[in-house]
Every structure is written in structure tokens, then in C-alpha cells.
Amino acid sequence: MAKTKKDSSSKTAARQEVQVSKSAAEFFAENQAIAGFDNVGKSLYTTIRELVENALDACESVNTLPDIIIHIEEMNQMQFNQLRGLQGLGVVVGATDEGLFQKRGGGGGNGTTTAASPSVVAATTTTTTTTNTATTKKIKNSKNEEAYFKVSVRDNGCGMTHHAIPNLLGRVLSGSKYGVRQTRGKFGLGAKMALIWSKKSTGVPIKIRTSHISSLDHVTTCVLDIDIYKNTPKVLQHDQEQNVNHSWRGTELEVIIAGSWNSYKARILQYLQQLAIITPYAKFEMQYTNLSNHKRDMTIRYDRRSEQMPPPAREVKHHPSSVNNLLVQQLLDKSTCSTLLKFLCEDLSGISPSIAKRIIKELGSGFDDNMKPLDLDDKQITKLVQMLRSVELFKAPDGSCLSPLGEYNLNLGILKVIEPDIVATSRDKPSAYEGHPFIVEAAVALGGKHAKEGINVIRYANRIPLLFEGGADVSTRVAHSKIKWSSYKIDQKKDRISVFVSIVSTKIPFKGTGKEYIGDDMTEIQTSVKRALQNCCQQLRSQLTKRNALRDAHQRKSRLVKYVPDVSKSIFGILNEMRKRKMEESEESISTTAAPPSQKRQRIREVEHDTIISKLDNQIITQNTIQSCLEEAIESQNASMNGKELQQNKDSDKSKERLPTFLIPITRFNLAPDTYHGMLFMFKPLALDNTDKGS
């Protein structure tokens, strides 16, 4: 009988289980660590990061040099409540029931209370002031003084259209960055997660003020909330006002969230510093205000160093070696091609018509050049995918779709922020992994402001700084274990080495849900990073060799010059002793008979001695003249050694074949098809004519 009751109760519990589906917004609200909102401190950092990167994208999309202003205003709970109109609900000061904010005593674990004796009551009465003060301190220090922040980011980018704002910022996984191209973000989170965190931590909606490039007559103000359970925007205010004289274009986004400045201040400042390096064409200004203590206010500014922006990344088609069953099914459904042959040639990249025909022939029965793409069933799609991933005759993915920073800008960014003693940059050739193109840019700098001894690796992915989980990153592991620094005249323990690695790709192979590091299991990326760093080290080795040679020559010269006074004094003393001895010998020779004729060598030596002694008598040779002669000899030797080194460098340069280059104003000739257009110049090979020869 008991067994029957147990079985029935288990069946009842099983029937009570209900299947529930959740929206994307609800999922990310419950799993916010996936998007980088692990705790209140990191949530503040991630909010700033997402808003700043959105601002950069908005400026770069219209080829405008970014001017980005960040305002961070910190409030305590009382100030936040006043801002929200909750003055009557303050619990920090003037609490009615102080027991709510005190921890239970040692014997209060079961929630029971005991009656107090009169003596205890009297003691409590006499210490009322002390107890109230202690209670107030405990209440104020509860939850580590939870702080609130008003964060606003303003840019001069393209802006947002009036009707598109709700969907752009109020619908999770809705964005414009889906596709095969290099982007800072792909998942349609970013500012939406900032809105979700604001809703969870403060309940305050976000405020947007924007003017779009296509409608500068008006400025839109929008107050936006989000329905977590439906993943739909909730518009609280959506107004337009006149944009006087078209004076402003861009977006200003304001959000109020809970956070912790003390725990993530260093990370925020580090992020802005590294962002200023990788975007030297942008101007950043961050203003932090503490409403409780204005002594902690601070302003940080990074001025623009370059006016050359990288070209915008363009969207490309999928490479055959990067496809899978689901992707091919989607491409077939969206394809406008009438035949399978055209589908392979036009909807995928790197497939020529001849190779497409060979692939269809190799697929065998059931496949035909003229069959419709929608006629392929699941089995045929699987067979097609296996064939595409196996063929090795496809062209390599085109790296021209990527938008790396460029060595020129990378060098300027490092010089602006780090101010190193010496720096070398390099860009490796475009490569690909699993059909996804990528480019690695690297730089190695020695010395600089705030640089620590040893190897300091700064990592970027699609021009975004990566600050966390660096130990497992491919750049860190290559720099520490794959590069022999000693062979490049660099001491990896004593020298202050800054290693910069920037990887851009249509798909960054992040590891983990936080997208904070790139694993070293991708052999192609690891090899490319190693080549780029080795190229930088080779450049540094030649410069360090010259610098070390000059340093050694300077040290050798300084050591010799240091002993010149003592040596000249000693030489002058020896010469004086020679003169005295010669005078004594001449006096003895007068008093004695003449000596036999001396040998020829001895006569020559006596003539030399007489010459030196006469110069000493006439003060032609003095201690000062000896000292000046020694200094001239040291200087001459140092110059000759430097000359030999320069000659060796010239000889090595002469061994390289060089061609003459002539730079002439572009008004002197018409543009020709062979003219080369660079980012900073226009170059055309030109033979000198008669007028040029005379000029």
C-alpha cells in the first residue's frame, strides 16, 4: 500500500513539471556573465566599454575622426534616492527600526529574544548615543557602500534615425553587424546589456539623444525601457526638437547603473590607455565626478595623434572551407541563383566555374550543373559540405576585406601613449584558418612610461583591447615561450619590453564565453604571431647593435678621459727626471776624458733626448700640452672606430639593389593608369624630361 502511494506521488510530481521557453533578453538577464557583467565592478567597466565601442563604430561608419566624451558621475544611495524622488525611503540615516540593519548576536541564531534585567536596561540607556553612532556606521558600511553611476557617452558619428532607435537599443540580438566582415561586435548585445543591467540594478531606463546624418534638421530624444520577457522595447518618451543651424550630429547615450569604481578604476583607465594606442586617430576625454568627495574627481584626455583612419571593412562571401550544413542550407534558401553551378560560383568565394564543374562531377549521381539549389535534400547538402571542406584547389580567403590599423598608426599610437625609447612594428602577410582570413600586426617597444621590467603583452582583437585572462592567450604564450629574446640583444628579465599584438579577422576564435582571449590551438594564428614578433625583433637587433656600439665607444672614451690628467702628470714627471739625469751626465762628461764614439743608434737616441729636453726647457712641452695631446688622440681613435662602423653599414646597404625615386608635384603630369594611390601619398614612376633635368 505504501509503495502505491509513493508511485502515485512521484507521478504527480512528474506531471507538475512545465516546459517554459524564455526570450533572448530574459536569458541574458539571468546569465549576464556571458556578456561580461560578472559583478557590479565589471558591469561598470563593460558598460563603459560597450558604449565607447558603439561610438567608435558610429564615427568610422561615416569616415569621421572620432571625438568621444565620457562622463562618469558617482552617487551614494542617498543621492541616488534623491535623484529618483525616493527621499522618504532612505534607510541609511534616521532608520526607525535599527534592528533590521544589525546582525544577530551570538545567541540570536534561532530568532528568539530574552527579557533584559533592569541593570541591562540602565546600561543601555546610558549608552544610547554610542549605540546610535555605531548603528549608523554599520548601516552606512552595509553592502560595501553600494554606489550608483550615471554614465554618458557622446560621439560625433552618424547618429540614429528617429524610428529605428527602439529596435536598435531595445531588442536583444538585433543588430547590423551580422555577416562575413570584420566588426568589433557581432551578437547584438552591447548597449542592450547595459539597459538590462540598468533595469536590474537601478530600474532606470536609458536616455538617448541623437541626430542622424540624413536628417540634421531635428534632434531626437528617446527614453527607452525593455520588456525582458517579450524582448521588445518599451518607449517612454520619443520626441523631436529643432537642431539649430544643424549644429550637432551624433549620439549621446545616458544610463544609470550600480557599480564599483574602486575595484575597477585601474581596469577602466587601462582600457582607455590601450584604446588610445589602437585608435590614434580618435580623441578621448573621460571626466569622473564623485558627488560625495570632489577631491577624487579626475579628467583624462588622449588627444588625436593621426588623421589617417583605416579603410572600412567590407562584407565578403563565405569561403567554401568555412561552411557547415546549417550555413549551406541558409545560403540555398536565400540564393537567387537558378542553377547549382551559379550558386557555387556566385554565393561562395574562391570557386571558379571550372572547379565548380569538377566538384559537381565528383559528387556523382543526383547532382547536375543545371539543377536548382532548392532541390537539394539534407543528404545531398551533407555530401556537398563534405566535398567543399575537402577540396584544396580553392583560392585562399581574400585578406583585403579586413581593416587592420596599419604600422604607421600603430607606431604613432605607441609613441603617443607609451613614449618608449625604441619601437619596431611589423605586419605579417594575410593568412587564413578554417576559411576565415586574418591579419596579425605586432610591435615591440623597449622602455617607456610606466613600463615594468620583463615582458608586458598588450593584446587586441579586431582593434578591441583584451584585458582579462591573458595568460592563456596565444600572443602571451608566443611572446614568453616561442621567441628567443637573447638572440636579439634583448634581456627579457631586465629590459622593459612591451609587446603589442593586434589580430583582425572576420571571425576571431575566442575561447570561453567572455571573449577575452584567443587560444593557441590555432596553428596558423600562432605561426603568424611568431613571424610578426620575430620581424620586430630583427629590426630592433640592428638598432640595438648600433646603439650598443655607440654606448660602448662612449664608455670607453669616458674611461680613457678619466685617467688623462694622471697619465699626463706622470709622463711630465718622467720627462723632468730625464732632463735632470741628462744635466748630471753632461757635467760628468766635462770633468772626464772624452768617451769613445758611440754607436749610430745611441747617437740618434741622444739627439731625440736633446730635442725633448730643449722643448722642456723652452716650455713647449708642459703637462697641459701632454694632456691636450692625449685627449686629441682619444677623440681621433673614437672617431675612426665610429667611421669604420658607418662604413660597414654603408657597405651592407650598397649590397642591396636600389632604384632612384623622383618626387614631383602632381601638377606636372596627368594621372596615368600606373599611378599608385597609397593612404598617405600618390606615387607614379616618372622619367625625367628636359624641363625636369634643368630644374
Side-chain angles (χ1 to χ4, degrees), residues 304-582:
R304 185 178 294 111
R305 185 65 179 266
S306 170
E307 294 188 356
Q308 301 299 324
M309 296 179 62
R314 59 183 180 87
E315 188 171 351
V316 295
K317 298 173 183 178
H318 292 275
H319 194 268
S321 57
S322 67
V323 299
N324 53 51
N325 288 26
L326 180 61
L327 180 58
V328 170
Q329 182 66 63
Q330 292 175 348
L331 294 176
L332 290 171
D333 293 340
K334 296 178 181 179
S335 178
T336 58
C337 298
S338 57
T339 64
L340 178 61
L341 180 64
K342 289 184 177 180
F343 168 78
L344 293 176
C345 297
E346 297 179 8
D347 288 353
L348 295 174
S349 65
I351 303 181
S352 63
S354 60
I355 294 180
K357 291 181 179 180
R358 293 171 62 181
I359 291 173
I360 295 174
K361 183 178 180 180
E362 185 68 24
L363 288 171
S365 60
F367 292 88
D368 184 72
D369 294 356
N370 297 321
M371 70 181 300
K372 295 181 179 180
L374 293 178
D375 292 342
L376 272 68
D377 57 23
D378 293 341
K379 293 182 180 180
Q380 289 177 316
I381 291 176
T382 301
K383 190 174 182 180
L384 175 61
V385 170
Q386 293 176 353
M387 178 64 66
L388 292 176
R389 296 179 68 91
S390 301
V391 174
E392 300 291 342
L393 298 180
F394 300 131
K395 297 178 182 178
D398 187 8
S400 62
C401 65
L402 302 176
S403 177
L405 177 63
E407 291 186 57
Y408 172 78
N409 277 339
L410 181 59
N411 196 305
L412 285 181
I414 295 172
L415 291 175
K416 176 183 73 171
V417 179
I418 304 297
E419 297 181 7
D421 301 331
I422 186 173
V423 61
T425 59
S426 174
R427 177 196 289 183
D428 194 41
K429 61 183 180 180
S431 304
Y433 77 94
E434 297 180 356
H436 304 288
F438 70 90
I439 294 177
V440 174
E441 292 178 310
V444 178
L446 300 180
K449 294 191 304 183
H450 312 300
K452 300 178 182 179
E453 290 186 352
I455 301 174
N456 307 284
V457 182
I458 296 92
R459 305 166 293 125
Y460 300 96
N462 281 350
R463 307 209 305 266
I464 297 176
L466 303 179
L467 271 59
F468 301 93
E469 303 180 40
D473 191 88
V474 60
S475 303
T476 304
R477 294 196 173 183
V478 169
H480 283 276
S481 60
K482 303 294 184 181
I483 305 296
K484 295 182 180 179
W485 297 97
S486 58
S487 60
Y488 301 103
K489 311 294 183 182
I490 300 174
D491 190 340
Q492 69 182 79
K493 294 183 178 180
K494 295 182 179 180
D495 289 336
R496 295 176 297 164
I497 309 168
S498 298
V499 177
F500 302 84
V501 178
S502 174
I503 302 174
V504 295
S505 176
T506 55
K507 182 180 180 182
I508 298 291
F510 289 112
K511 297 295 182 181
T513 57
K515 300 195 302 180
E516 290 294 347
Y517 75 98
I518 302 171
D520 63 344
D521 54 342
M522 294 294 178
T523 307
E524 298 88 352
I525 295 180
Q526 184 186 93
T527 303
S528 185
V529 171
K530 182 178 179 180
R531 280 199 305 262
L533 290 179
Q534 285 177 336
N535 194 5
C536 292
C537 291
Q538 289 173 0
Q539 298 176 43
L540 289 178
R541 178 169 59 185
S542 60
Q543 299 183 46
L544 289 174
T545 301
K546 297 177 184 178
R547 190 182 68 174
N548 293 341
L550 293 175
R551 182 191 60 193
D552 294 342
H554 179 73
Q555 291 178 352
R556 182 172 59 251
K557 176 184 174 181
S558 62
R559 284 195 296 266
L560 291 174
V561 170
K562 177 181 178 181
Y563 295 105
V564 163
D566 294 335
V567 172
S568 60
K569 182 178 179 181
S570 300
I571 293 175
F572 186 73
I574 293 173
L575 293 177
N576 272 332
E577 291 296 328
M578 288 174 53
R579 182 176 58 177
K580 291 179 182 180
R581 193 181 310 114
K582 186 67 176 176

Side-chain angles (χ1 to χ4, degrees), residues 127-128 244 374 511 524 618 658:
T127 58
T128 302
V244 181
L374 293 178
K511 297 295 182 181
E524 298 88 352
N618 297 327
R658 292 188 174 185

